[in-house]
Amino acid sequence: MAAFTVLEEAEGAIYRMCTTADVSGVVACVSAAFKEGEPTTAAGGATEKDMTAFCQLFVPRMVDKSVIATNAEGAVIGAMLCKDWGDEDPEEEFAGFMAKLEGDWLPALTGIGECEETFNSDFGIPVEEKPKEKWFQLWNCGVDEQWRGRGVGKKLVGHSVAVAKKQGYEVAFSICTSGPITHILTTHSSASVEHFVDYSTWTGTESVEVLRALPAAGHSGMSLCVVRLWGESKRSTRGGSAEDE
């Protein structure tokens, strides 16, 4: 294990930074977890093919910031995919991905876009050429079905927030589409919900009706969760000191 940056070993799981050699394992684990547990795309009929293509597009771009969990044999059992908010998005490749989708992702993507716009506005972030090394996005978390209920997601999030702070980021944030990840962030990582898309009333896109049944299944809405990290001599992106907050 000397080649890896190991963060913790606990209850049969090894938490460490992701490497390029982990990409295929992360894609397999996270795409399966998304297919089973991401409520907004599932409501729109997203398929395993959709999820795999989605992960194949983004996982290789997030290797250097992401935290994974493996079992003793080295198989990936969970991942918290993370990125610098200043990184460029693969716009052309994403357009190709959208053209081949089998499910309806518009409600999910429109809600995410609304949360992103709110985050950019609240923190004064320019849409073009966003500065790097300021805002750390906790992009998506997935845990293998057999390892759920053991605190793996909680540890992945906790280590990812710690990585963001260690690397000098001012803010870590996540757009949470499901109840469990929102609970982890707000309960265990000092995150505040700064924007909320209520699945029962939101009218952001034409096919929004696919989301209406989600609150009854435990997913009340999409939350923009923000963790402020600049308590140790960092200044906020809004121009004030940590003591001003």
Side-chain angles (χ1 to χ4, degrees):
M1 298 298 293
F4 306 130
T5 303
V6 177
L7 305 171
E8 181 183 5
E9 296 187 33
E11 299 182 10
I14 299 168
Y15 300 87
R16 61 176 175 82
M17 297 304 296
C18 187
T19 72
T20 54
D22 298 312
V23 168
S24 61
V26 172
V27 167
C29 175
V30 174
S31 61
F34 287 178
K35 176 64 173 62
E36 297 162 3
E38 199 297 298
T40 58
T41 50
T47 65
E48 183 177 350
K49 180 180 177 182
D50 287 348
M51 291 301 185
T52 299
F54 184 64
C55 290
Q56 287 174 334
L57 178 58
F58 284 100
V59 169
R61 299 170 178 271
M62 301 183 181
V63 168
D64 63 331
K65 301 293 182 187
S66 298
V67 176
I68 67 171
T70 70
N71 61 18
E73 290 72 40
V76 177
I77 59 169
M80 179 76 245
L81 303 176
C82 304
K83 66 187 287 287
D84 189 309
W85 187 229
D87 289 345
E88 293 185 5
D89 291 325
E91 294 183 4
E92 290 187 11
E93 295 94 332
F94 191 73
F97 161 76
M98 289 291 292
K100 297 178 181 178
L101 282 177
E102 297 178 342
D104 179 5
W105 287 49
L106 281 179
L109 295 177
T110 304
I112 289 169
E114 181 178 308
C115 291
E116 290 177 344
E117 289 176 5
T118 299
F119 182 75
N120 287 338
S121 176
D122 285 355
F123 285 86
I125 303 170
V127 177
E128 300 294 334
E129 298 184 10
K130 297 190 290 284
K132 291 191 175 186
E133 300 181 353
K134 284 181 173 288
W135 306 285
F136 189 90
Q137 185 177 13
L138 305 166
W139 194 73
N140 265 321
C141 184
V143 177
D144 182 271
E145 183 178 14
Q146 295 184 354
W147 283 80
R148 292 172 199 166
R150 305 191 197 184
V152 175
K154 175 183 172 182
K155 285 186 176 293
L156 286 169
V157 170
H159 283 302
S160 297
V161 171
V163 166
K165 189 171 185 178
K166 183 177 181 180
Q167 293 183 359
Y169 284 86
E170 297 179 4
V171 168
F173 76 99
S174 182
I175 299 171
C176 305
T177 63
S178 68
I181 190 66
T182 303
H183 175 76
I184 289 172
L185 277 162
T186 56
T187 304
H188 301 291
S189 298
S190 303
S192 59
V193 176
E194 306 210 355
H195 186 70
F196 183 71
V197 173
D198 188 334
Y199 294 145
S200 66
T201 60
W202 184 65
T203 57
T205 190
E206 290 184 4
S207 55
V208 71
E209 290 300 322
V210 303
L211 304 180
R212 293 293 184 245
L214 294 182
H219 307 293
S220 59
M222 187 179 297
S223 302
L224 169 62
C225 294
V226 177
V227 183
R228 287 164 173 77
L229 304 168
W230 53 71
E232 298 175 5
S233 77
K234 280 284 182 182
R235 296 183 65 83
S236 81
T237 53
R238 298 177 182 179
S241 65
E243 289 73 23
D244 294 331
E245 297 296 326

